[in-house]
Amino acid sequence: MTAPLGLPASLLPWFARPAARAWACTPASADVRVFHAGLPGYSPTPLIEVPVLAALLGVGQVFVKDESARMGLAAFKVLGASWAVHKVLSRRPAGAELLLVTASDGNHGRAVARMARLFGHRAHVFVPSGVHPVAIAAIVAEGARVTEIAGTYDDAVRLAAAAREPSAELVQDTAWPGYEQVPGWIVEGYTTLFAEIDTQLADAGAARPGLVVVPTGVGSLAQAAVSHYRSRPGASAPALLSVESEAAACVLASLSKNELVSVPAGVTVMAGLNCGTPSMLAWPFLRGGLDAAVAVTDAESIAAAHELAGHGIPGGPCGAASLAGARAALTGEGADARRAALAIEPDTTVVLLSTEGAAANPVPGSPPG
Ligand SMILES: Cc1ncc(COP(=O)(O)O)c(C=O)c1O
């Protein structure tokens, strides 16, 4: 069926650092899983084996972690927002009404708004231009105030950070100097997703993953992947591949320059990946523990979303970026060198994170669902 989506090595936006598998860090707090398990509506999201994709990518098994229905929301982000809001509330006097403020391309804002509602507080979400109206309506439906700005995600973060008042708490999923604690909790919250995958692969009798593919915006989710897989001495570490939109590949640019750099944000259907600056907190983890980074086009992610839909997985454009990135890396001209850098063998188990459902961020060209 497919057109060859792997690009010639020279044209593919690609970075590899094979030494990353030996990098090590400390694990996230185990309290996170216990907290999530007690939340209303929590259950592990599905991990779905798709043999057709294994054949397509030339590997042993492919599993897709489907985040399209995470605690009643259409993206993984609530794992981080819930733990961070819980930690923020626990350092405030009981009974004080708070305003939870954030900037978001959609999914994180909706998750913060949901948590504000759950815990009896208000939320204010700053949204950059270019976010799909469906995503904005979803935040409003959670009861939050939404301010749409004529600017980029980075602009929205600056406005949210400046809009603080005594009853306000900024719950932002990216870090900068002086703002690190809350984003650290958000990353800790994300690690539940990887703990679920460990259990699910073991239950399925599958091999440990040899490659885990992560859609990347500011890099907090990728940081969670690194902190999960690089903090278990003795366990064979998978290769970790970050996938960004070509329109905003700030992690790829930073890895290539070996320093944290910003890129101008572009226009992309992968709204949650449209971030121009990596999280300062994530950067040391990404530089040390990521094996490779690739960037994909909107056309590649849309094609991948249609492919996932054909297997009954309703991935939105950010979620489908994982499949698009795996295809770009593992197939096409120059793939031998990229596969070698990722230590891919014909029997390797690959896990693709499909981080959002199409309900969160509709896929262009799909029938209205
Ligand atoms: C659906 C989806 N996938 C992936 C990401 C990337 O996460 P991060 O910004 O932590 O890299 C986001 C961020 O908003 C997202 O909404």
Side-chain angles (χ1 to χ4, degrees):
M1 46 128 299
T2 51
L5 286 176
L7 296 170
S10 55
L11 294 180
L12 188 66
W14 170 258
F15 174 89
R17 191 199 307 277
R21 248 153 290 153
W23 194 81
C25 59
T26 51
S29 152
D31 299 347
V32 181
R33 276 210 91 181
V34 177
F35 166 76
H36 282 141
L39 273 180
Y42 170 81
S43 62
T45 53
L47 185 71
I48 303 162
E49 187 181 1
V50 188
V52 174
L53 294 183
L56 190 73
L57 299 177
V59 296
Q61 286 184 292
V62 169
F63 291 87
V64 179
K65 182 69 168 162
D66 174 12
E67 292 293 311
S68 63
R70 171 68 78 178
M71 283 192 255
L73 299 179
F76 77 99
K77 305 283 304 192
V78 69
L79 286 176
S82 57
W83 177 242
V85 168
H86 164 74
K87 296 290 279 184
V88 161
L89 295 181
S90 58
R91 71 181 179 189
R92 286 276 192 161
E97 206 208 296
L98 292 186
L99 177 67
L100 303 179
V101 181
T102 196
S104 170
D105 286 316
N107 294 316
H108 171 70
R110 186 178 179 197
V112 169
R114 168 67 62 91
M115 286 303 126
R117 190 153 67 88
L118 183 68
F119 294 121
H121 299 282
R122 292 174 298 128
H124 185 182
V125 182
F126 290 80
V127 175
S129 56
V131 173
H132 200 285
V134 165
I136 294 173
I139 302 172
V140 172
E142 300 292 344
R145 178 176 161 208
V146 173
T147 301
E148 288 181 65
I149 65 148
T152 64
Y153 173 79
D154 284 2
D155 297 331
V157 170
R158 273 189 285 275
L159 278 172
R164 295 165 85 171
E165 50 177 88
S167 72
E169 282 277 3
L170 183 68
V171 184
Q172 200 57 60
D173 53 350
T174 188
W176 55 87
Y179 185 75
E180 288 126 25
Q181 191 174 42
V182 172
W185 288 328
I186 288 175
V187 172
E188 275 187 348
Y190 294 161
T191 58
T192 290
L193 188 156
F194 300 100
E196 288 176 8
I197 292 173
D198 287 346
T199 307
Q200 289 169 315
L201 285 177
D203 289 350
R208 285 178 185 281
L211 173 66
V212 178
V213 187
V214 186
T216 295
V218 299
S220 292
L221 178 60
Q223 179 187 350
V226 169
S227 75
H228 180 79
Y229 291 110
R230 304 283 182 256
S231 62
R232 300 179 306 161
S236 55
L240 300 174
L241 170 64
S242 152
V243 184
E244 291 172 281
S245 163
E246 273 194 357
C250 60
V251 168
L252 182 59
S254 298
L255 291 171
S256 305
K257 293 210 163 132
N258 204 24
E259 63 177 313
L260 193 157
V261 294
S262 293
V263 299
V267 174
T268 171
V269 292
M270 292 169 266
L273 312 189
N274 198 3
C275 309
T277 308
S279 167
M280 191 207 76
L281 200 61
W283 171 238
F285 290 80
L286 307 180
R287 180 167 55 188
L290 269 186
D291 295 77
V294 70
V296 297
T297 63
D298 278 4
E300 289 171 313
S301 116
I302 291 167
H306 290 305
E307 172 87 34
L308 288 177
H311 303 295
I313 301 167
C318 298
S322 293
L323 173 56
R327 262 182 175 172
L330 303 188
T331 69
E333 202 178 329
D336 286 351
R338 294 189 296 269
R339 292 173 76 96
L342 295 168
I344 301 293
E345 301 288 346
D347 64 349
T348 295
T349 297
V350 174
V351 174
L352 306 175
L353 304 189
S354 182
T355 48
E356 70 179 353
N361 185 16
V363 182
S366 296

